[in-house]
Amino acid sequence: MDVLTTVTIIFLLYSLYLLYKSYKLKCSTNCYLVDYVCFKPSPDRQITTRKCGEIIERNKKLGLAEYKFLLKVIVNSGIGERTYGPRNIIEGREESPTLDDAIEEMDEFLNVCIHDLFVKTKISPRDVDVLVVNISTFCPFPSLASRIVHRYNMRDDVKTYNLSSMGCSATLVAIDVVKNIFKSGKKSIAVVITSESISPNWYSGNDKSMMLGNCLFRCGGSAMLLTNDPAMQAQAKMRLKCLVRTHIGANDDAFNSAVQKEDDRGRVGVHLSKDLPKAAMRAFTENLKRLLPKILPYREIALIAFHIVKQKLVQPDAKLNKVVAQINFKSGVDHFCLHTGGTAVIDAVRRALRLSEYDVEPARMTLHRWGNTSASSIWYVLGYMEAKKRLKKKDRVLMISFGSGFKCNSCLWEVSRDLGDGDVWEDCIKEYPPKTLVNPYLDKYGWVHEETEETFNREERTEAFKNSPW
Amino acid sequence: MPAQPLPDFSTSVRLKYVKLGYQYLVNHFLTLLLIPMIATCVLELVRRGPEELISIYNSLDLDVIHILCSSFVIIFVLTVYYMSRPRPVYLVDYACFKPAASCRVPFATFMEHTSMICEDPKSVQFQTRILERSGLGEETCLPPANHYIPPNPTMEAGRAEAQLVIFSAIDDLIKKTGLQPKHIDILVVNCSLFSPTPSLSAMIVNKYKLRSNIKSFNLSGMGCSAGLLSIDLARDLLQVLPGSNALVISTEIITPNYYKGNRRDMLLPNCLFRMGAAAILLSNRRRDATRAKYRLLHVVRTHKGADDRAYRCVYQEEDSDGHCGISLSKDLMAIAGDALKSNITTIGPLVLPMSEQLLFFFTLVGRKLINPTLRPYIPDFKQAFEHFCIHAGGRAVIDELQKSLQLSAEHVEASRMTLHRFGNTSSSSLWYELNYIESKGRMKRGDRVWQIGFGSGFKCNSAVWKCLRTVKTPVDGPWSECIHRYPVDIPEIVKL
């Protein structure tokens, strides 16, 4: 019987060990955001509205209609005077960008931002297990992921992924990759790099739908360090609670709303169609349908279900607009990080979620200070909230972004501790929010509306502009 | 007096049998240990007799509660154990793009076009020499845009090529597997050199009307080894999403990447890269286990980017005239060999039988402690794998690997013939090679396949598959019409 007892005891101990191992594995499936760093380009790369005007003037192919259109876009864009552009555009070489220009633009970002991230988090590049890079519109060979491995001398078993062309919502796709790798339970450290390449993508033609990109996109980027190691929980800033991805590419109009193609003269640009806002709203609605059950408290979900059932019983054919109007989105979310696609995007989301000006202030201020930095914009918005000391322990932050295809990705973070690191907003946070966001050149360029094709004289206007006190 | 070199025993027949015996002993060690133990137990039981066994059972005084509790504990622990194991990833099936004969680029066509496009006669001569020694055949294909003189690399043409190769491969896969596009949960696309907005993955979502909650990923710039990277990503996702399937597309779009200049190190890709694509269906569903062709055993990735030479050996840059091209350095072979060694160091312990590992270990110990001049033992990978798919990057790559891994001509036949028939189709070449092996009727149940891919960065990635059912010929695929002509003898130099 001793043998039997011994065998039973060994078996029981082994079972306990298995259970303990499974439990430990479960604990290591959380995704923690240890820290993030946004990129602040050097001051000589700042683009003011005046500079924008100069750049537009250089394009000799533009007639009055295009000129008007562009200036209207710039002046109404909500973009301020301190955004950044790539060197080749500032130096006047926007029509003939070289591969070196694009690589230089990327190097300035990669060399500074990632270095700062490692210093801040006190992690060595040799400890990184996963590297995900998403830079949509520039894809050199070898990839930028390899460039980072080379620059920072990472290990040879590092898992690299270089995502490309996934639009302004790609940063959440990268987080999705990392989140899924973390679920295996093996303790890892992941670095996610997000940016956009502006220099090779200047549109040099005169198709209006393709010129918007020129006016709105600015240089920026961010680097994030994530881990699933419970030991780093104390150091982490936020924990990922859920991530929802929606892709409505099956709908032809949505798919064709943002397409990179050649215009009728063979010049490449990104065509933004008039269906873009509609596609964005559709994708957003689809995303919300799957997101809300995950983020709203049970009480709110029960209430919504109750209202839907009530309406279906009373008026089975009526739309659910009234019910939607009663949903309190803020019951499950404390802060909103909206992609700064433009004032139209921010206003549309504000209306849809019935948010206050306070809620969308971080997004508006980010658009004003940094412009549309594409995928990395939501990290600048998060930085604003942190600099304003809005993020407290247990707060929930919702990130929403849109991208070509058409995609809408969102995720919910829970803040782990009170945050107050100013990062790139440190030097200017006191000036925000400013008294007015109205562009100072609104009056100056008002003449555009009085001119006609006959009276418009490019050379005269250029001279007048150069001689102006501005 | 210098020691007499040992006679070459390896050719001795007796030693071969000793080696075989040693391998058998070590690899089946546990089984050999277990048999006498079981025999002893059975003898003991028989000796004791049934009455004694019954009396032992009664003396345990088990009542229903005890039995129930212990069964519950056993079942619970077994469930936890099985659930914590990694989910198996099955390769249900795959399809490769079969180019139309109208896209063929025989040597004569290639040379004629080159001499009409290229202004420098030295470049034309150089490209002729490369083609003569390349190991490519007369049936490789280039996309329609490259048949123009000069080639017409617009975005539209690039998209047209992408649609042609990718959609054909996916349509073939749907026909073979009965896959419903609405049932695809994960989509991973890799295409290094062409990255339009919206991405190629969005293009596929649009064409096949995939679901809105699909997890799509578009990898770019990751070189010829990106196919295995995509498999790795799909595998990680399949571990997390139960009952799902993943569609992986590996391709390279040639249209936008024709090099118009005269730098020699950049002219090589023009000569070697050809059109191709593969669509692979992976699944972790139990019901697919019966119809799947392969099961994924391991994926091992090695990135040598930290080393300067390795990072720069395949590099995209502009030449002095502003033409963009990919330069291949002269160190490519050495770097590939190096990357492979690192990869082998990781994959060896996972796949090699114990006999090889012990030999390697003892030789290593011997080299370190006893005699540093002892030749390093190169493990015999032919014991771990029945088939090898080496990326058909070029003749030199295949030669180099054949030498390093001590493979026979038959082992590298799939790679050489794929290079001959389809050229270097980048990340999809491994799938053309696998299809060759299947078409030749060599793939049997239980066979293990090693796919090795090399790519810019410098990366070396390996995937190990196990065949789950014998693949019967004839196999429907890109080789179906020409497999009877293969293998062909590929001369060192084809005089043009």
Side-chain angles (χ1 to χ4, degrees):
Chain A
M1 292 317 100
D2 291 334
V3 176
L4 197 63
T5 325
T6 328
V7 168
T8 320
I9 291 174
I10 293 173
F11 178 68
L12 273 170
L13 283 172
Y14 183 66
S15 331
L16 281 168
Y17 167 70
L18 268 182
L19 282 168
Y20 171 72
K21 226 174 75 163
S22 311
Y23 171 71
K24 277 302 265 208
L25 220 65
K26 215 69 201 4
C27 281
S28 306
T29 55
N30 278 316
C31 179
Y32 299 105
L33 176 74
V34 177
D35 211 338
Y36 64 99
V37 172
C38 293
F39 177 49
K40 185 171 161 190
S42 54
D44 56 340
R45 286 172 61 182
Q46 275 187 357
I47 291 189
T48 56
T49 307
R50 181 195 164 89
K51 189 88 197 162
C52 281
E54 271 175 31
I55 296 168
I56 294 170
E57 307 253 341
R58 285 204 287 257
N59 187 348
K60 300 287 176 253
K61 301 177 204 86
L62 298 179
L64 177 65
E66 289 96 27
Y67 208 65
K68 257 187 184 176
F69 172 76
L70 282 177
L71 288 175
K72 200 167 93 172
V73 166
I74 292 172
V75 156
N76 292 327
S77 63
I79 295 178
E81 301 301 301
R82 294 172 66 185
T83 59
Y84 302 89
R87 283 188 202 282
N88 72 318
I89 292 176
I90 291 171
E91 289 165 10
R93 294 180 286 111
E94 67 270 11
E95 305 224 344
S96 51
T98 61
L99 188 65
D100 285 336
D101 285 328
I103 294 199
E104 195 196 312
E105 184 193 349
M106 284 297 106
D107 274 344
E108 278 194 48
F109 159 60
L110 298 173
N111 293 344
V112 168
C113 220
I114 306 178
H115 175 260
D116 287 349
L117 182 71
F118 287 130
V119 164
K120 246 183 156 185
T121 54
K122 300 191 186 55
I123 302 278
S124 153
R126 303 283 302 171
D127 293 333
V128 176
D129 302 292
V130 181
L131 172 68
V132 186
V133 177
N134 75 274
I135 291 171
S136 275
T137 48
F138 177 51
C139 205
F141 196 75
S143 62
L144 290 165
S146 296
R147 199 174 182 84
I148 295 170
V149 170
H150 175 246
R151 166 80 179 76
Y152 290 94
N153 201 23
M154 294 185 176
R155 293 197 321 259
D156 65 2
D157 62 348
V158 65
K159 271 192 194 224
T160 56
Y161 292 106
N162 193 74
L163 300 169
S164 188
S165 313
M166 301 198 85
C168 301
S169 66
T171 191
L172 295 183
V173 175
I175 304 269
D176 192 28
V177 172
V178 168
K179 179 187 93 149
N180 286 309
I181 293 176
F182 280 171
K183 283 216 178 129
S184 70
K186 182 165 161 251
K187 298 201 183 86
S188 327
I189 290 179
V191 171
V192 172
I193 310 292
T194 297
S195 184
E196 195 56 81
S197 172
I198 314 286
S199 41
N201 298 304
W202 180 263
Y203 172 62
S204 54
N206 55 3
D207 181 334
K208 277 200 234 170
S209 67
M210 296 193 185
M211 290 195 290
L212 276 168
N214 286 359
C215 305
L216 300 175
F217 285 103
R218 296 289 185 273
C219 291
S222 56
M224 286 70 76
L225 195 122
L226 301 113
T227 184
N228 62 347
D229 187 352
M232 294 182 74
Q233 205 175 345
Q235 196 188 349
K237 281 188 169 171
M238 305 201 290
R239 182 174 70 91
L240 183 67
K241 290 198 78 178
C242 70
L243 192 146
V244 174
R245 293 176 57 182
T246 308
H247 197 311
I248 59 165
N251 177 280
D252 284 334
D253 289 333
F255 177 69
N256 291 313
S257 57
V259 179
Q260 187 181 28
K261 59 181 187 183
E262 280 126 353
D263 65 9
D264 43 16
R265 303 277 177 88
R267 294 175 291 241
V268 177
V270 179
H271 162 80
L272 300 172
S273 87
K274 291 192 171 56
D275 290 326
L276 189 80
K278 209 167 77 177
M281 269 300 114
R282 269 198 64 184
F284 188 42
T285 318
E286 280 292 322
N287 191 284
L288 279 179
K289 275 191 205 159
R290 287 173 43 218
L291 179 71
L292 290 178
K294 295 189 185 188
I295 64 172
L296 290 178
Y298 293 122
R299 200 183 65 98
E300 192 69 29
I301 296 173
L303 219 62
I304 297 169
F306 171 70
H307 284 299
I308 291 176
V309 166
K310 194 170 108 180
Q311 178 153 334
K312 284 285 176 202
L313 287 173
V314 171
Q315 289 170 299
D317 297 324
K319 284 200 177 157
L320 292 170
N321 290 345
K322 265 197 176 166
V323 181
V324 169
Q326 286 171 350
I327 299 176
N328 179 11
F329 297 98
K330 294 216 260 188
S331 59
V333 180
D334 301 299
H335 308 282
F336 295 82
C337 271
L338 309 176
H339 166 53
T340 58
T343 41
V345 172
I346 299 174
D347 286 334
V349 176
R350 186 175 82 91
R351 273 195 307 271
L353 298 180
R354 280 172 290 115
L355 304 176
S356 64
E357 263 311 309
Y358 177 81
D359 293 321
V360 299
E361 181 190 304
R364 279 206 212 284
M365 299 306 121
T366 302
L367 181 63
H368 186 263
R369 172 68 179 85
W370 304 95
N372 179 355
T373 58
S374 183
S376 52
S377 58
I378 47 177
W379 300 103
Y380 285 97
V381 176
L382 188 69
Y384 180 89
M385 292 176 191
E386 208 182 324
K388 281 282 187 193
K389 311 259 193 286
R390 288 188 185 190
L391 299 174
K392 302 283 177 232
K393 186 168 170 172
K394 294 250 172 37
D395 278 356
R396 290 147 306 175
V397 182
L398 178 67
M399 286 185 167
I400 304 172
S401 63
F402 301 96
S404 64
F406 202 87
K407 302 186 236 328
C408 175
N409 300 333
S410 57
C411 72
L412 189 74
W413 297 92
E414 184 184 298
V415 181
S416 311
R417 53 186 171 85
D418 289 358
L419 303 176
D421 178 15
D423 193 33
V424 287
W425 286 96
E426 201 68 65
D427 59 345
C428 60
I429 195 67
K430 292 195 177 57
E431 299 157 21
Y432 282 90
K435 289 201 187 62
T436 171
L437 288 176
V438 171
N439 193 297
Y441 295 95
L442 186 59
D443 297 329
K444 185 168 161 14
Y445 285 115
W447 60 263
V448 164
H449 295 284
E450 290 137 24
E451 289 276 359
T452 61
E453 281 293 350
E454 289 84 32
T455 60
F456 181 60
N457 184 327
R458 173 184 285 287
E459 282 74 30
E460 234 180 64
R461 279 290 155 201
T462 316
E463 274 310 309
F465 178 76
K466 282 194 183 134
N467 296 333
S468 71
W470 290 94
Chain B
M1 194 172 109
Q4 287 268 10
L6 284 172
D8 192 359
F9 280 128
S10 54
T11 51
S12 152
V13 172
R14 267 187 241 151
L15 195 69
K16 227 187 206 171
Y17 278 109
V18 168
K19 200 165 184 216
L20 262 171
Y22 160 75
Q23 280 166 4
Y24 197 74
L25 185 74
V26 172
N27 295 339
H28 297 97
F29 185 68
L30 277 173
T31 327
L32 290 172
L33 206 63
L34 219 58
I35 291 173
M37 271 176 64
I38 292 174
T40 328
C41 287
V42 167
L43 277 171
E44 185 69 28
L45 280 171
V46 165
R47 195 177 64 82
R48 289 212 179 194
E51 293 89 13
E52 217 182 305
L53 288 171
I54 292 172
S55 72
I56 293 173
Y57 176 72
N58 284 335
S59 72
L60 275 175
D61 198 15
L62 293 170
D63 63 25
V64 186
I65 300 282
H66 284 137
I67 298 174
L68 272 176
C69 282
S70 16
S71 338
F72 171 74
V73 167
I74 293 170
I75 292 170
F76 179 68
V77 169
L78 280 172
T79 319
V80 168
Y81 174 67
Y82 276 111
M83 284 184 68
S84 62
R85 285 175 68 182
R87 289 200 176 90
V89 174
Y90 302 110
L91 190 157
V92 178
D93 211 337
Y94 66 96
C96 298
F97 167 66
K98 184 165 166 195
S102 53
C103 291
R104 253 176 9 116
V105 178
F107 293 153
T109 313
F110 187 86
M111 289 331 305
E112 189 179 344
H113 281 228
T114 311
S115 53
M116 292 174 97
I117 299 163
C118 234
E119 288 141 2
D120 180 13
K122 286 214 174 96
S123 301
V124 178
Q125 218 178 17
F126 176 74
Q127 290 189 70
T128 316
R129 281 209 326 268
I130 295 289
L131 205 58
E132 284 173 354
R133 290 159 178 75
S134 62
L136 262 68
E138 302 260 23
E139 291 177 272
T140 61
C141 295
L142 280 176
N146 284 47
H147 288 257
Y148 283 81
I149 301 172
N152 189 18
T154 57
M155 254 202 124
E156 207 182 305
R159 278 213 172 89
E161 184 195 342
Q163 286 170 355
L164 171 68
V165 302
I166 295 175
F167 294 165
S168 308
I170 298 179
D171 288 339
D172 275 342
L173 184 67
I174 288 175
K175 222 167 41 181
K176 273 184 176 182
T177 56
L179 171 72
Q180 299 252 21
K182 287 249 175 279
H183 293 165
I184 299 173
D185 303 294
I186 300 163
L187 173 66
V188 184
V189 179
N190 74 270
C191 172
S192 282
L193 297 166
F194 182 55
S195 205
T197 300
S199 59
L200 295 176
S201 59
M203 188 178 82
I204 296 171
V205 171
N206 175 252
K207 164 82 169 147
Y208 292 94
K209 309 291 175 221
L210 303 182
R211 292 195 325 256
S212 65
N213 63 344
I214 192 163
K215 285 194 183 280
S216 65
F217 302 93
N218 191 75
L219 302 172
S220 209
M222 304 199 83
C224 303
S225 65
L228 298 181
L229 282 175
S230 312
I231 299 281
D232 190 30
L233 180 60
R235 180 188 65 156
D236 283 336
L237 289 159
L238 285 171
Q239 296 301 317
V240 171
L241 299 167
S244 332
N245 57 22
L247 179 63
V248 175
I249 309 289
S250 287
T251 184
E252 194 53 73
I253 303 300
I254 312 288
T255 305
N257 299 303
Y258 186 80
Y259 174 60
K260 300 186 181 89
N262 294 312
R263 249 177 71 173
R264 296 212 173 163
D265 53 346
M266 293 191 180
L267 285 168
L268 282 158
N270 283 2
C271 303
L272 300 175
F273 281 98
R274 296 292 184 264
M275 205 163 62
I280 303 118
L281 180 63
L282 299 174
S283 167
N284 63 4
R285 297 176 185 173
R286 293 211 194 279
R287 62 172 178 269
D288 286 330
T290 42
R291 67 176 187 138
K293 267 186 176 168
Y294 301 94
R295 185 162 70 92
L296 181 62
L297 296 181
H298 306 285
V299 176
V300 174
R301 297 168 57 167
T302 310
H303 200 306
K304 295 305 249 176
D307 174 49
D308 261 335
R309 270 178 58 226
Y311 176 66
R312 292 212 159 255
C313 89
V314 181
Y315 204 75
Q316 184 186 40
E317 52 188 351
E318 276 165 351
D319 66 11
S320 47
D321 300 320
H323 297 300
C324 204
I326 299 163
S327 77
L328 302 174
S329 101
K330 291 190 171 63
D331 294 331
L332 187 62
M333 287 307 113
I335 290 164
D338 218 7
L340 181 67
K341 274 201 197 84
S342 300
N343 196 283
I344 284 176
T345 325
T346 318
I347 208 175
L350 295 173
V351 297
L352 285 170
M354 194 51 79
S355 53
E356 290 298 310
Q357 295 199 42
L358 279 175
L359 267 174
F360 180 72
F361 176 69
F362 287 135
T363 326
L364 195 70
V365 165
R367 282 189 74 203
K368 294 275 182 216
L369 300 176
I370 305 165
N371 181 5
T373 60
L374 255 181
R375 259 194 22 227
Y377 179 71
I378 300 166
D380 186 7
F381 280 91
K382 300 194 281 292
Q383 298 223 13
F385 303 107
E386 280 73 36
H387 307 287
F388 296 80
C389 290
I390 300 165
H391 167 53
R395 194 186 205 140
V397 171
I398 304 173
D399 290 341
E400 170 74 26
L401 256 80
Q402 187 181 5
K403 206 174 69 182
S404 337
L405 297 173
Q406 295 170 342
L407 301 175
S408 69
E410 194 182 313
H411 286 125
V412 296
E413 186 186 305
S415 311
R416 286 199 201 282
M417 297 307 123
T418 301
L419 182 64
H420 184 265
R421 171 63 180 86
F422 295 100
N424 178 352
T425 57
S426 185
S427 44
S428 51
S429 62
L430 299 171
W431 302 102
Y432 284 96
E433 293 169 25
L434 191 64
N435 201 261
Y436 178 88
I437 299 171
E438 289 181 1
S439 303
K440 277 288 185 194
R442 294 176 189 166
M443 191 60 75
K444 306 267 181 287
R445 188 190 149 106
D447 281 357
R448 289 154 303 173
V449 185
W450 187 15
Q451 287 184 320
I452 311 171
F454 295 98
S456 66
F458 195 81
K459 298 187 257 300
C460 174
N461 300 331
S462 303
V464 179
W465 303 90
K466 183 166 180 172
C467 182
L468 296 176
R469 54 180 174 86
T470 303
V471 181
K472 294 192 181 59
T473 50
V475 171
D476 189 23
W479 291 97
S480 50
E481 278 156 28
C482 58
I483 193 67
H484 57 278
R485 287 190 268 121
Y486 282 87
V488 295
D489 179 39
I490 305 171
E492 276 294 323
I493 302 175
V494 175
K495 209 62 198 117
L496 292 176

